[in-house]
Amino acid sequence: MSSRHPTVVGWAELGRVLAPGGTYLAQHVGVGTAAALTDFMMGPQPVGDGRSVERARAGAEAAGLEVVDVRTATLRLEFLDVAAVAVYLRKVIWIVPGFTIARYRRRLEAMHELIGREGSFVATTTRYLIECRKPHAVDGR
């Protein structure tokens, strides 16, 4: 079973449906993704741990899965113009909840000025790859 960017992982359900010896492989969005962009648009925001590797590991293990491998990456997220920022925020709706051009016009103007001065706006995005396996049953099945 594989997944890419699940927003909520039903670890108990994964543990239930995986066959003994079955594997779950997924790329998850990590903690603090695009926080610099969120903070620029909305002001400083708290960063929760709901998408942390530690919580994923605990959820998988609580569901009876063995965590085989976890790999993390912090990646550069660079915007070269304010139009790209607007499109991104309209598509990735959780970065700035309730985003509209009209509501955030002043912040977009400030972003436009910043990009004009500095050449780009840079944030980071975090990802982790997690591989879990359901152990074989005690009797070998």
Side-chain angles (χ1 to χ4, degrees):
M1 174 181 297
S2 67
S3 182
R4 182 167 178 228
H5 299 304
T7 55
V8 176
V9 180
W11 291 110
E13 184 67 1
L14 282 169
R16 185 186 74 78
V17 301
L18 275 179
T23 298
Y24 171 74
L25 179 64
Q27 175 185 290
H28 291 200
V29 176
V31 171
T33 287
L37 180 55
T38 302
D39 290 351
F40 185 92
M41 299 303 289
M42 300 175 67
Q45 300 294 308
V47 176
D49 72 342
R51 294 177 179 248
S52 73
V53 170
E54 295 78 16
R55 286 188 67 151
R57 183 182 297 278
E61 290 172 350
L65 302 175
E66 172 194 356
V67 178
V68 176
D69 193 14
V70 176
R71 299 177 191 197
T72 61
T74 301
L75 309 162
R76 183 180 176 91
L77 182 62
E78 183 174 19
F79 297 95
L80 302 177
D81 62 62
V82 74
V85 172
V87 169
Y88 180 80
L89 292 176
R90 291 187 63 178
K91 297 290 183 189
V92 188
I93 60 174
W94 53 88
I95 301 298
V96 177
F99 174 81
T100 64
I101 301 290
R103 183 177 296 151
Y104 285 92
R105 179 170 298 282
R106 291 189 198 278
R107 296 310 300 153
L108 290 168
E109 289 169 353
M111 176 73 69
H112 177 71
E113 291 172 11
L114 182 146
I115 291 171
R117 276 191 320 273
E118 298 183 13
S120 67
F121 179 85
V122 178
T124 58
T125 182
T126 60
R127 299 287 185 270
Y128 62 94
L129 183 67
I130 186 166
E131 179 182 0
C132 304
R133 187 168 300 124
K134 184 171 184 175
H136 288 281
V138 174
D139 64 3
R141 285 187 253 166

